[in-house]
PDB file of all heavy atoms in Angstrom:
ATOM      1  N   ILE Y 197     -77.830 -56.682  57.990  1.00 98.00           N
ATOM      2  CA  ILE Y 197     -76.683 -57.590  58.033  1.00 98.00           C
ATOM      3  C   ILE Y 197     -75.438 -56.966  57.404  1.00 98.00           C
ATOM      4  O   ILE Y 197     -75.540 -56.267  56.392  1.00 98.00           O
ATOM      5  CB  ILE Y 197     -77.076 -58.896  57.308  1.00 98.00           C
ATOM      6  CG1 ILE Y 197     -78.018 -59.679  58.227  1.00 98.00           C
ATOM      7  CG2 ILE Y 197     -75.865 -59.740  56.937  1.00 98.00           C
ATOM      8  CD1 ILE Y 197     -78.882 -60.658  57.552  1.00 98.00           C
ATOM      9  N   TYR Y 198     -74.306 -57.178  58.030  1.00 98.00           N
ATOM     10  CA  TYR Y 198     -73.033 -56.803  57.398  1.00 98.00           C
ATOM     11  C   TYR Y 198     -71.929 -57.717  57.923  1.00 98.00           C
ATOM     12  O   TYR Y 198     -72.117 -58.449  58.900  1.00 98.00           O
ATOM     13  CB  TYR Y 198     -72.719 -55.318  57.647  1.00 98.00           C
ATOM     14  CG  TYR Y 198     -72.061 -55.022  58.981  1.00 98.00           C
ATOM     15  CD1 TYR Y 198     -70.667 -54.882  59.070  1.00 98.00           C
ATOM     16  CD2 TYR Y 198     -72.802 -54.893  60.150  1.00 98.00           C
ATOM     17  CE1 TYR Y 198     -70.051 -54.616  60.285  1.00 98.00           C
ATOM     18  CE2 TYR Y 198     -72.195 -54.640  61.361  1.00 98.00           C
ATOM     19  CZ  TYR Y 198     -70.816 -54.500  61.433  1.00 98.00           C
ATOM     20  OH  TYR Y 198     -70.204 -54.263  62.624  1.00 98.00           O
ATOM     21  N   SER Y 199     -70.803 -57.642  57.287  1.00 98.00           N
ATOM     22  CA  SER Y 199     -69.688 -58.518  57.608  1.00 98.00           C
ATOM     23  C   SER Y 199     -68.646 -57.753  58.417  1.00 98.00           C
ATOM     24  O   SER Y 199     -68.184 -56.696  57.986  1.00 98.00           O
ATOM     25  CB  SER Y 199     -69.130 -59.011  56.270  1.00 98.00           C
ATOM     26  OG  SER Y 199     -67.976 -59.719  56.470  1.00 98.00           O
ATOM     27  N   GLY Y 200     -68.290 -58.292  59.603  1.00 98.00           N
ATOM     28  CA  GLY Y 200     -67.376 -57.541  60.469  1.00 98.00           C
ATOM     29  C   GLY Y 200     -66.543 -58.405  61.377  1.00 98.00           C
ATOM     30  O   GLY Y 200     -66.216 -59.552  61.050  1.00 98.00           O
ATOM     31  N   SER Y 201     -66.225 -57.853  62.552  1.00 98.00           N
ATOM     32  CA  SER Y 201     -65.269 -58.504  63.459  1.00 98.00           C
ATOM     33  C   SER Y 201     -65.817 -58.594  64.878  1.00 98.00           C
ATOM     34  O   SER Y 201     -66.850 -58.002  65.200  1.00 98.00           O
ATOM     35  CB  SER Y 201     -63.973 -57.689  63.497  1.00 98.00           C
ATOM     36  OG  SER Y 201     -64.151 -56.520  64.279  1.00 98.00           O
ATOM     37  N   LEU Y 202     -65.082 -59.289  65.724  1.00 98.00           N
ATOM     38  CA  LEU Y 202     -65.339 -59.219  67.158  1.00 98.00           C
ATOM     39  C   LEU Y 202     -65.020 -57.789  67.578  1.00 98.00           C
ATOM     40  O   LEU Y 202     -64.153 -57.151  66.987  1.00 98.00           O
ATOM     41  CB  LEU Y 202     -64.431 -60.194  67.916  1.00 98.00           C
ATOM     42  CG  LEU Y 202     -64.536 -61.684  67.574  1.00 98.00           C
ATOM     43  CD1 LEU Y 202     -63.482 -62.488  68.334  1.00 98.00           C
ATOM     44  CD2 LEU Y 202     -65.924 -62.212  67.918  1.00 98.00           C
ATOM     45  N   THR Y 203     -65.669 -57.273  68.601  1.00 98.00           N
ATOM     46  CA  THR Y 203     -65.402 -55.893  69.029  1.00 98.00           C
ATOM     47  C   THR Y 203     -64.468 -55.852  70.234  1.00 98.00           C
ATOM     48  O   THR Y 203     -64.300 -54.800  70.846  1.00 98.00           O
ATOM     49  CB  THR Y 203     -66.711 -55.131  69.354  1.00 98.00           C
ATOM     50  OG1 THR Y 203     -67.331 -55.756  70.485  1.00 98.00           O
ATOM     51  CG2 THR Y 203     -67.663 -55.142  68.175  1.00 98.00           C
ATOM     52  N   THR Y 204     -63.911 -57.004  70.592  1.00 97.00           N
ATOM     53  CA  THR Y 204     -62.902 -57.076  71.657  1.00 97.00           C
ATOM     54  C   THR Y 204     -61.685 -57.805  71.081  1.00 97.00           C
ATOM     55  O   THR Y 204     -61.825 -58.563  70.124  1.00 97.00           O
ATOM     56  CB  THR Y 204     -63.436 -57.862  72.871  1.00 97.00           C
ATOM     57  OG1 THR Y 204     -63.937 -59.132  72.423  1.00 97.00           O
ATOM     58  CG2 THR Y 204     -64.521 -57.105  73.588  1.00 97.00           C
ATOM     59  N   PRO Y 205     -60.491 -57.562  71.649  1.00 96.00           N
ATOM     60  CA  PRO Y 205     -59.306 -58.243  71.154  1.00 96.00           C
ATOM     61  C   PRO Y 205     -59.517 -59.762  71.186  1.00 96.00           C
ATOM     62  O   PRO Y 205     -60.117 -60.244  72.141  1.00 96.00           O
ATOM     63  CB  PRO Y 205     -58.212 -57.836  72.150  1.00 96.00           C
ATOM     64  CG  PRO Y 205     -58.696 -56.553  72.740  1.00 96.00           C
ATOM     65  CD  PRO Y 205     -60.188 -56.660  72.757  1.00 96.00           C
ATOM     66  N   ASP Y 206     -59.122 -60.479  70.130  1.00 96.00           N
ATOM     67  CA  ASP Y 206     -58.230 -60.028  69.089  1.00 96.00           C
ATOM     68  C   ASP Y 206     -58.891 -59.430  67.863  1.00 96.00           C
ATOM     69  O   ASP Y 206     -58.211 -59.261  66.836  1.00 96.00           O
ATOM     70  CB  ASP Y 206     -57.372 -61.219  68.674  1.00 96.00           C
ATOM     71  CG  ASP Y 206     -58.223 -62.439  68.288  1.00 96.00           C
ATOM     72  OD1 ASP Y 206     -59.445 -62.318  68.276  1.00 96.00           O
ATOM     73  OD2 ASP Y 206     -57.662 -63.512  67.982  1.00 96.00           O
ATOM     74  N   CYS Y 207     -60.181 -59.114  67.950  1.00 98.00           N
ATOM     75  CA  CYS Y 207     -60.905 -58.449  66.857  1.00 98.00           C
ATOM     76  C   CYS Y 207     -60.901 -59.250  65.555  1.00 98.00           C
ATOM     77  O   CYS Y 207     -60.897 -58.670  64.461  1.00 98.00           O
ATOM     78  CB  CYS Y 207     -60.354 -57.049  66.606  1.00 98.00           C
ATOM     79  SG  CYS Y 207     -60.336 -55.975  68.069  1.00 98.00           S
ATOM     80  N   THR Y 208     -60.926 -60.567  65.656  1.00 96.00           N
ATOM     81  CA  THR Y 208     -60.963 -61.453  64.479  1.00 96.00           C
ATOM     82  C   THR Y 208     -62.103 -61.066  63.539  1.00 96.00           C
ATOM     83  O   THR Y 208     -63.227 -60.821  63.985  1.00 96.00           O
ATOM     84  CB  THR Y 208     -61.175 -62.924  64.935  1.00 96.00           C
ATOM     85  OG1 THR Y 208     -60.167 -63.239  65.885  1.00 96.00           O
ATOM     86  CG2 THR Y 208     -61.078 -63.881  63.762  1.00 96.00           C
ATOM     87  N   GLU Y 209     -61.782 -61.024  62.236  1.00 97.00           N
ATOM     88  CA  GLU Y 209     -62.786 -60.600  61.252  1.00 97.00           C
ATOM     89  C   GLU Y 209     -63.565 -61.800  60.704  1.00 97.00           C
ATOM     90  O   GLU Y 209     -63.411 -62.181  59.549  1.00 97.00           O
ATOM     91  CB  GLU Y 209     -62.096 -59.806  60.135  1.00 97.00           C
ATOM     92  CG  GLU Y 209     -61.441 -58.525  60.677  1.00 97.00           C
ATOM     93  CD  GLU Y 209     -60.813 -57.652  59.612  1.00 97.00           C
ATOM     94  OE1 GLU Y 209     -60.354 -58.195  58.591  1.00 97.00           O
ATOM     95  OE2 GLU Y 209     -60.777 -56.425  59.811  1.00 97.00           O
ATOM     96  N   ASN Y 210     -64.365 -62.386  61.570  1.00 95.00           N
ATOM     97  CA  ASN Y 210     -65.115 -63.579  61.141  1.00 95.00           C
ATOM     98  C   ASN Y 210     -66.573 -63.520  61.575  1.00 95.00           C
ATOM     99  O   ASN Y 210     -67.203 -64.538  61.771  1.00 95.00           O
ATOM    100  CB  ASN Y 210     -64.454 -64.850  61.710  1.00 95.00           C
ATOM    101  CG  ASN Y 210     -64.718 -65.029  63.203  1.00 95.00           C
ATOM    102  OD1 ASN Y 210     -65.131 -64.081  63.875  1.00 95.00           O
ATOM    103  ND2 ASN Y 210     -64.501 -66.208  63.727  1.00 95.00           N
ATOM    104  N   VAL Y 211     -67.092 -62.313  61.728  1.00 98.00           N
ATOM    105  CA  VAL Y 211     -68.440 -62.203  62.287  1.00 98.00           C
ATOM    106  C   VAL Y 211     -69.493 -61.801  61.243  1.00 98.00           C
ATOM    107  O   VAL Y 211     -69.339 -60.803  60.542  1.00 98.00           O
ATOM    108  CB  VAL Y 211     -68.484 -61.199  63.466  1.00 98.00           C
ATOM    109  CG1 VAL Y 211     -69.898 -61.106  64.034  1.00 98.00           C
ATOM    110  CG2 VAL Y 211     -67.498 -61.603  64.559  1.00 98.00           C
ATOM    111  N   HIS Y 212     -70.536 -62.609  61.188  1.00 98.00           N
ATOM    112  CA  HIS Y 212     -71.729 -62.286  60.404  1.00 98.00           C
ATOM    113  C   HIS Y 212     -72.639 -61.496  61.357  1.00 98.00           C
ATOM    114  O   HIS Y 212     -73.247 -62.078  62.256  1.00 98.00           O
ATOM    115  CB  HIS Y 212     -72.388 -63.603  59.964  1.00 98.00           C
ATOM    116  CG  HIS Y 212     -73.673 -63.447  59.207  1.00 98.00           C
ATOM    117  ND1 HIS Y 212     -73.723 -63.081  57.887  1.00 98.00           N
ATOM    118  CD2 HIS Y 212     -74.966 -63.610  59.602  1.00 98.00           C
ATOM    119  CE1 HIS Y 212     -74.982 -63.028  57.485  1.00 98.00           C
ATOM    120  NE2 HIS Y 212     -75.764 -63.346  58.518  1.00 98.00           N
ATOM    121  N   TRP Y 213     -72.646 -60.162  61.200  1.00 98.00           N
ATOM    122  CA  TRP Y 213     -73.414 -59.321  62.119  1.00 98.00           C
ATOM    123  C   TRP Y 213     -74.860 -59.178  61.673  1.00 98.00           C
ATOM    124  O   TRP Y 213     -75.129 -58.962  60.490  1.00 98.00           O
ATOM    125  CB  TRP Y 213     -72.796 -57.914  62.207  1.00 98.00           C
ATOM    126  CG  TRP Y 213     -71.649 -57.849  63.171  1.00 98.00           C
ATOM    127  CD1 TRP Y 213     -70.322 -57.894  62.865  1.00 98.00           C
ATOM    128  CD2 TRP Y 213     -71.731 -57.715  64.606  1.00 98.00           C
ATOM    129  NE1 TRP Y 213     -69.574 -57.818  64.026  1.00 98.00           N
ATOM    130  CE2 TRP Y 213     -70.410 -57.710  65.100  1.00 98.00           C
ATOM    131  CE3 TRP Y 213     -72.799 -57.623  65.512  1.00 98.00           C
ATOM    132  CZ2 TRP Y 213     -70.121 -57.604  66.458  1.00 98.00           C
ATOM    133  CZ3 TRP Y 213     -72.510 -57.522  66.857  1.00 98.00           C
ATOM    134  CH2 TRP Y 213     -71.184 -57.511  67.311  1.00 98.00           C
ATOM    135  N   MET Y 214     -75.777 -59.263  62.644  1.00 98.00           N
ATOM    136  CA  MET Y 214     -77.204 -59.044  62.386  1.00 98.00           C
ATOM    137  C   MET Y 214     -77.683 -58.001  63.383  1.00 98.00           C
ATOM    138  O   MET Y 214     -77.668 -58.246  64.594  1.00 98.00           O
ATOM    139  CB  MET Y 214     -77.974 -60.354  62.586  1.00 98.00           C
ATOM    140  CG  MET Y 214     -77.599 -61.443  61.596  1.00 98.00           C
ATOM    141  SD  MET Y 214     -78.086 -63.084  62.193  1.00 98.00           S
ATOM    142  CE  MET Y 214     -76.760 -63.446  63.304  1.00 98.00           C
TER     143      MET Y 214
END
Side-chain angles (χ1 to χ4, degrees):
I197 286 158
Y198 83 97
S199 173
S201 76
L202 300 175
T203 65
T204 52
D206 54 4
C207 305
T208 306
E209 298 183 330
N210 74 344
V211 180
H212 177 77
W213 277 99
M214 295 161 279

